[in-house]
Amino acid sequence: MTTINIFDKIPSRLMTGVMIFFATFFSYMLRNAMSINILAMVKPTNLNENENGTITDPPNYGPERLDWSAYQQSLLLGSFFWGYAITPLPSGVLSDKFGGRRLVGYSFLISCILEAVTPVASASFWVSFMVRFLIGFFSGTLYPALHKLVSKWAPPEEKGKFVSALVGGAIGTVVTWSVAGYLVESVGWDYAFYVPAILSGCFTIVWFITTFDDPASHPRISTEEKEYIENSLLGVTYTKRWPPLVHVFKSIPFWALLILHYGNLWGLYFLMTAAPKYMNEVLGFNLSKSGILASLPYLARFFAGFIFGSIGDLIRKKQWFEVTTIRKSFCLFSHIIPGLFLIALPYVNERPAVCVAFVTLSLGFNGAGTMTNLQNSQDLAPNYAGTVYGIINSIGTTAGFITPLIVAHYTQERSTIDEWSSVFLIGAIAYIAPAILFIIFGSGKIQYWNDLDLPKTDDHKSEEESSTKRKN
């Protein structure tokens, strides 16, 4: 029995959901290896003293350690996101016009090669910066393309589960940081780049074999499943026209979503780039243990994402609340509660286990984002789901290179809980304030600019009439 025959036994939409999960899984593996590896790559600022007061040599973690300052390290951690911020918008437009399959596949292929050459590139800081920048540049195509796939493959009553697959990056982070710590201490930090590159390359091959842009283009989907998906999406049309960007940027619900998404990414990228440093330097855990503990919040976020996604699907199926009410009420879990946990962190700083628990709960509750900012772009405009998500992700990604700079600013001379308290407070504000704005101004209704037949000259009154008539 061939590999393709085995894949044929699995429902096509299930296989698509699984591949969406693994796409985010391996994408986060490629992006997050640096966060833990850099602790082993760079010479430590504060060398340990033994009982006699003699400076002890730092552990040997493979290739020669690099003499990069705290500022350079923050630049390198942020370089991925400088590149990542550029491509979501154009890739969202391209995926809306041409589909997401090839965008995802080719971006993975290039990113794997770049990840593999990272150890060689580390001979020069600026070459390393450029390699990380390019990995981010090609990785930025991923989520807009995946959102387009979700809009084509997910029946409305299963959309929460499909969107939950987009948090597969949480498990990718868990595995990467856990395995990277072990690889660094056992065979060296260079292998902590080679292994993710090889595994992601294998995934790329499977992606091209199993994944297609929509049910109509899938060569092996059953007639029954194809009809089920297409019938469930009746009334939702798709377009290959260029998106009406002027109308998008005039939409208040769009801006509410953008701000909500920015707050979500601020918290996510802050912990992604800074959690290993916090666990190692403030809480005092060793390198391998720091990686494992720093990955726990992402494990919690993954499971919470599926739980909240399933609850949201049930609420929607039973029609207990309108979509707008669902989106706004789940902001309590995705943004407000995570912010409150960050505010509470400095008050438990003398108990490392409680600190780890609070960080874990903060990002864990953020898994409810599967029912808020991660799904709202498809509420507002299923025709332009890739484009809308591309816009908000492109702007939101700036948090990825701003947060390392903020951490470096506060911890440049010392890295204690006093300095981190300010960082956590900023993170809490970034979570809670956008949630309040979305609760006031957000919407779960299809917007007028999603309608293909609507003239571009229609005014705000048309938007209200269209939104009233068409509820998702």
Side-chain angles (χ1 to χ4, degrees):
M1 182 179 292
T2 66
T3 301
I4 292 179
N5 291 145
I6 294 173
F7 291 143
D8 285 346
K9 302 294 183 181
I10 304 174
S12 296
R13 72 183 186 283
L14 173 59
M15 191 68 205
T16 301
V18 170
M19 295 308 293
I20 288 173
F21 166 84
F22 278 108
T24 60
F25 176 99
F26 285 107
S27 176
Y28 270 67
M29 181 171 280
L30 293 174
R31 78 167 68 179
N32 285 340
M34 180 62 78
S35 298
I36 188 100
N37 294 354
I38 197 170
L39 299 175
M41 295 169 64
V42 179
K43 293 178 182 179
T45 304
N46 300 316
L47 298 177
N48 297 324
E49 295 184 359
N50 59 23
E51 295 178 356
N52 299 323
T54 305
I55 301 295
T56 59
D57 293 329
N60 180 13
Y61 289 140
E64 181 180 356
R65 286 198 164 195
L66 307 168
D67 191 16
W68 293 341
S69 67
Y71 177 70
Q72 286 178 307
Q73 293 176 53
S74 69
L75 283 180
L76 190 63
L77 289 173
S79 60
F80 174 96
F81 299 99
W82 284 97
Y84 192 86
I86 297 173
T87 45
L89 176 54
S91 64
V93 175
L94 290 174
S95 63
D96 279 336
K97 285 183 68 64
F98 306 113
R101 175 178 180 263
R102 285 173 291 177
L103 278 176
V104 173
Y106 291 130
S107 69
F108 259 105
L109 179 62
I110 298 171
S111 297
C112 293
I113 296 172
L114 292 168
E115 185 84 0
V117 303
T118 298
V120 176
S122 66
S124 166
F125 171 78
W126 287 110
V127 174
S128 296
F129 181 96
M130 183 55 62
V131 168
R132 292 296 298 172
F133 175 90
L134 289 174
I135 293 175
F137 179 87
F138 289 104
S139 298
T141 65
L142 180 71
Y143 278 92
L146 293 181
H147 271 266
K148 189 61 180 180
L149 288 173
V150 170
S151 72
K152 290 294 191 75
W153 278 96
E157 293 179 358
E158 299 177 9
K159 188 162 288 188
K161 298 181 182 67
F162 265 82
V163 174
S164 297
L166 293 170
V167 300
I171 299 299
T173 302
V174 171
V175 173
T176 303
W177 283 353
S178 301
V179 173
Y182 171 77
L183 290 173
V184 164
E185 294 187 343
S186 58
V187 293
W189 57 260
D190 50 341
Y191 283 89
F193 289 108
Y194 296 144
V195 171
I198 293 171
L199 294 176
S200 299
C202 294
F203 162 77
T204 304
I205 297 172
V206 178
W207 171 268
F208 278 117
I209 294 174
T210 62
T211 310
F212 297 87
D213 288 318
D214 50 43
S217 63
H218 199 298
R220 300 181 299 275
I221 189 173
S222 68
T223 303
E224 293 79 8
E225 184 178 15
K226 178 182 176 182
E227 290 178 351
Y228 168 71
I229 296 172
E230 291 178 344
N231 289 337
S232 72
L233 297 176
L234 287 177
V236 178
T237 56
Y238 296 99
T239 177
K240 292 185 180 293
R241 287 175 50 189
W242 292 102
L245 294 180
V246 173
H247 293 271
V248 173
F249 283 105
K250 289 167 60 178
S251 172
I252 292 178
F254 164 79
W255 283 100
L257 167 61
L258 188 153
I259 295 170
L260 186 74
H261 190 67
Y262 193 91
N264 176 80
L265 291 186
W266 184 282
L268 181 65
Y269 292 154
F270 158 62
L271 290 177
M272 183 185 302
T273 57
K277 180 180 177 73
Y278 173 70
M279 302 289 185
N280 180 245
E281 297 181 356
V282 179
L283 301 185
F285 296 110
N286 62 35
L287 194 60
S288 60
K289 196 168 186 180
S290 294
I292 294 172
L293 292 175
S295 67
L296 289 180
Y298 292 88
L299 186 63
R301 186 174 187 263
F302 170 76
F303 286 112
F306 273 98
I307 291 171
F308 283 115
S310 298
I311 293 173
D313 280 348
L314 177 62
I315 293 173
R316 188 167 178 177
K317 182 178 181 179
K318 298 294 186 179
Q319 298 183 342
W320 291 336
F321 300 106
E322 291 186 347
V323 175
T324 299
T325 304
I326 295 173
R327 299 287 176 256
K328 293 183 176 183
S329 61
F330 272 79
C331 284
L332 170 66
F333 305 103
S334 67
H335 285 70
I336 295 176
I337 290 178
L340 294 177
F341 273 114
L342 291 183
I343 291 174
L345 258 175
Y347 299 99
V348 296
N349 65 86
E350 295 181 357
R351 290 173 285 180
V354 179
C355 288
V356 173
F358 275 27
V359 172
T360 301
L361 288 169
S362 177
L363 200 57
F365 273 101
N366 180 248
T370 57
M371 292 305 301
T372 56
N373 58 286
L374 291 180
Q375 200 169 154
N376 191 227
S377 61
Q378 302 195 38
D379 299 327
L380 301 182
N383 286 349
Y384 303 108
T387 297
V388 172
Y389 193 83
I391 295 171
I392 65 174
N393 216 38
S394 183
I395 296 173
T397 296
T398 59
F401 53 78
I402 293 174
T403 52
L405 293 174
I406 288 178
V407 173
H409 171 75
Y410 282 100
T411 63
Q412 187 168 3
E413 296 182 1
R414 296 192 313 160
S415 183
T416 68
I417 194 63
D418 291 334
E419 288 74 34
W420 282 86
S421 296
S422 299
V423 178
F424 289 136
L425 180 59
I426 293 171
I429 295 172
Y431 265 139
I432 296 174
I436 295 173
L437 289 174
F438 184 83
I439 290 171
I440 297 173
F441 299 108
S443 176
K445 297 177 181 179
I446 294 179
Q447 300 301 295
Y448 77 95
W449 38 269
N450 176 75
D451 195 327
L452 297 175
D453 299 325
L454 188 69
K456 293 185 177 181
T457 56
D458 282 10
D459 57 15
H460 184 69
K461 181 179 179 181
S462 299
E463 175 183 359
E464 294 178 345
E465 293 174 352
S466 178
S467 297
T468 303
K469 294 177 181 178
R470 303 179 61 183
K471 295 181 180 178
N472 192 343

